Amino acid sequence: MNRSFSRRSFFGMAAAATAVAAVPILTEPQLARAQRRRIAHDYGPDSVRIDANENPLGPCSGACAVMASLLPEGGRYDMEMTDKLVATFAAQEGLKPENVLAYAGSSEPLHYTVLAFTSGDHSLVVADPSYEAPMYAAKFSGAKIVKVPLAADYSHDVRAMVSADPSAGVLYLCNPNNPTGTITSRADIEYALANKPRGSILLIDEAYIHFSDATPNLDLVKAGKDVIVLRTFSKVYGMAGLRCGFAIGRPDLLAKIQAYGMNSMPILAVAAATSSLETPDLVPQRRKINTDIRSSVFEWLTANNYKFIPSQANHFMIDTGRPGHDVIAAMAQRNVYIGRVWPVWPTYVRVTVGTHSDMDKFQTAFKEVMTGPTASALRSYDPAELAAMGTRDLPRHARGLVASRV
Ligand SMILES: Cc1ncc(COP(=O)(O)O)c(C=O)c1O
């Protein structure tokens, strides 16, 4: 029997369920699409799609082969396959299977962790700018959201975060950070763990860890610390559309998030994820591809005197020195879709690292946009229509979190 649905955890969940609030899940593609619709219609043919931190390489060849061979089995739930995936990951990381829960992407456990550990009495502490989904989930738990600016080196300011609210429930550390792609040192994470408010947990989101030099934090789970680590197959493994991810933590912490929902896993995603984990060269190869392309874009930006934040992920931020939304709109008119603007930095845009060809097209369009009057790109759109387009794709509670057009 799949561990996720054992008798013990079922009754545990049922007991916790009295306190459960439902939360619609907010995801990066929804945020990216809302922005696209704000400035243009959806992707056209041959669009350069570098707005949602996807991986243009898609699943590795072994994963594609195993999915193709498994299609006829699509009539089965096959929960044992999920057990195998969990066991494979746990063995590779020196963890026990009971430290790992598989979900269809890491967005669900991210939201559920915020629901489980924050409330009207226990706030959510986040860096600013950082990934918005935890703040969105906190609106459903009724938690106060405490935003702490990133440090001068764009790492999480852990000293300010741990002292931001003595009754915090969750400190969210996104490492590398979305949108900046910058990393927070292991020493800082250990500081946060040692000095966090009593009763709180660290939610360490390692969605982009494979692209970077950041020290992974799964050993903190092994050591029984108050942490939940999130991993996803959406980034380095190129499986965003297939949906697979993990919450990794102490069993007592995982039991709390399980109360918010566990579904049967999509078998193609599970098979592709297992095959990816069993391909040892995959992560180093993809990491090198991403690093090489990112470095060549950074060289180009530097040579052209554009201001950017050096990143260790598959995305980075450029300070355009003008309203970021105008630049995004002007780029979209050239069929290059870049993403997004965070309210705290209205002149910065986040750009995903695509293929070499994507980034060549990005560079051509960006240079054109930056040397021309970008604001004119928006003149063909009615402002009221723009405002409505921007929010239509977002769940209501997310609308206040994203930067609106000025
Ligand atoms: C920081 C971060 N965490 C979590 C996610 C969720 O990804 P998924 O649900 O596809 O695993 C994303 C998606 O872009 C992200 O950027």
Side-chain angles (χ1 to χ4, degrees):
M1 180 189 237
N2 184 294
R3 204 172 31 79
S4 316
F5 291 85
S6 72
R7 214 178 128 77
R8 191 163 51 90
S9 59
F10 174 78
F11 286 116
M13 283 188 267
T18 51
V20 164
V23 57
I25 306 294
L26 178 70
T27 60
E28 178 64 48
Q30 278 174 299
L31 291 161
R33 188 175 195 211
Q35 170 193 268
R36 256 185 339 265
R37 295 215 155 160
R38 210 183 257 140
I39 42 95
H41 297 290
D42 263 332
Y43 303 129
D46 303 323
S47 298
V48 176
R49 297 165 58 160
I50 47 175
D51 61 347
N53 292 354
E54 296 160 328
N55 188 336
L57 301 177
C60 66
S61 58
C64 290
V66 79
M67 285 191 288
S69 69
L70 201 63
L71 273 175
E73 297 301 316
R76 302 282 177 201
Y77 293 112
D78 208 333
M79 295 167 78
E80 286 72 17
M81 276 180 58
T82 303
D83 291 346
K84 184 186 168 203
L85 168 65
V86 165
T88 304
F89 178 76
Q92 288 183 350
E93 300 294 346
L95 296 162
K96 297 197 174 118
E98 46 272 37
N99 292 126
V100 184
L101 290 178
Y103 288 87
S106 61
S107 293
E108 281 176 76
L110 187 162
H111 286 69
Y112 299 156
T113 303
V114 173
L115 289 188
F117 294 94
T118 70
S119 65
D121 298 326
H122 297 293
S123 66
L124 169 74
V125 180
V126 291
D128 192 22
S130 191
Y131 188 47
E132 302 94 327
M135 291 195 285
Y136 166 74
K139 296 196 170 203
F140 290 83
S141 67
K144 188 171 73 172
I145 298 166
V146 186
K147 293 188 191 182
V148 176
L150 291 174
D153 64 355
Y154 304 106
S155 64
H156 288 62
D157 187 344
V158 291
R159 279 151 196 85
M161 287 180 84
V162 296
S163 52
D165 179 3
S167 55
V170 171
L171 277 63
Y172 175 71
L173 302 168
C174 189
N175 198 31
N177 189 38
N178 181 5
T180 51
T182 46
I183 65 174
T184 299
S185 70
R186 171 61 179 225
D188 278 354
I189 288 178
E190 283 175 8
Y191 179 91
L193 195 54
N195 295 283
K196 68 183 176 52
R198 221 182 132 90
S200 66
I201 63 149
L202 301 186
L203 176 57
I204 307 176
D205 189 338
E206 297 190 339
Y208 301 98
I209 191 104
H210 304 97
F211 294 114
S212 77
D213 293 334
T215 310
N217 290 291
L218 294 176
D219 59 310
L220 299 177
V221 172
K222 200 174 168 188
K225 304 292 184 192
D226 295 334
V227 299
I228 291 182
V229 179
L230 299 174
R231 288 282 179 94
T232 180
F233 287 86
S234 296
K235 306 302 172 183
V236 86
Y237 296 106
M239 289 177 40
L242 288 163
R243 314 300 299 135
C244 193
F246 294 133
I248 305 129
R250 265 191 350 241
D252 62 302
L253 299 181
L254 295 184
K256 293 197 172 146
I257 69 173
Q258 255 185 312
Y260 291 84
M262 290 298 296
N263 203 342
S264 194
M265 290 288 290
I267 66 162
L268 295 186
V270 169
T274 309
S275 164
S276 302
L277 290 179
E278 289 170 342
T279 308
D281 294 343
L282 182 59
V283 170
Q285 272 171 4
R286 288 192 164 193
R287 182 179 173 184
K288 180 170 171 11
I289 292 168
N290 181 68
T291 305
D292 289 350
I293 297 174
R294 193 183 62 213
S295 301
S296 78
V297 177
F298 286 177
E299 275 167 32
W300 181 84
L301 290 170
T302 307
N304 285 276
N305 290 320
Y306 296 126
K307 203 173 141 200
F308 65 96
I309 300 177
S311 145
Q312 292 208 17
N314 69 338
H315 54 269
F316 57 91
M317 294 209 96
I318 307 180
D319 182 1
T320 65
R322 59 189 81 186
H325 283 300
D326 289 0
V327 175
I328 291 167
M331 293 291 285
Q333 288 204 332
R334 288 159 178 80
N335 214 14
V336 178
Y337 288 81
I338 59 169
R340 305 191 275 108
V341 174
W342 268 251
V344 67
W345 291 346
T347 59
Y348 284 70
V349 292
R350 190 197 64 198
V351 177
T352 303
V353 177
T355 60
H356 271 298
S357 148
D358 289 341
M359 299 325 276
D360 286 347
K361 290 178 188 153
F362 159 77
Q363 287 170 196
T364 306
F366 190 70
K367 194 156 201 175
E368 266 177 41
V369 165
M370 292 299 285
T371 45
T374 48
S376 64
L378 291 170
R379 281 192 195 131
S380 54
Y381 297 104
D382 166 30
E385 194 193 351
L386 278 171
M389 283 195 297
T391 53
R392 195 179 298 150
D393 283 305
L394 290 178
R396 193 166 52 85
H397 286 78
R399 292 177 189 168
L401 296 175
V402 295
S404 56
R405 267 206 48 77
V406 261

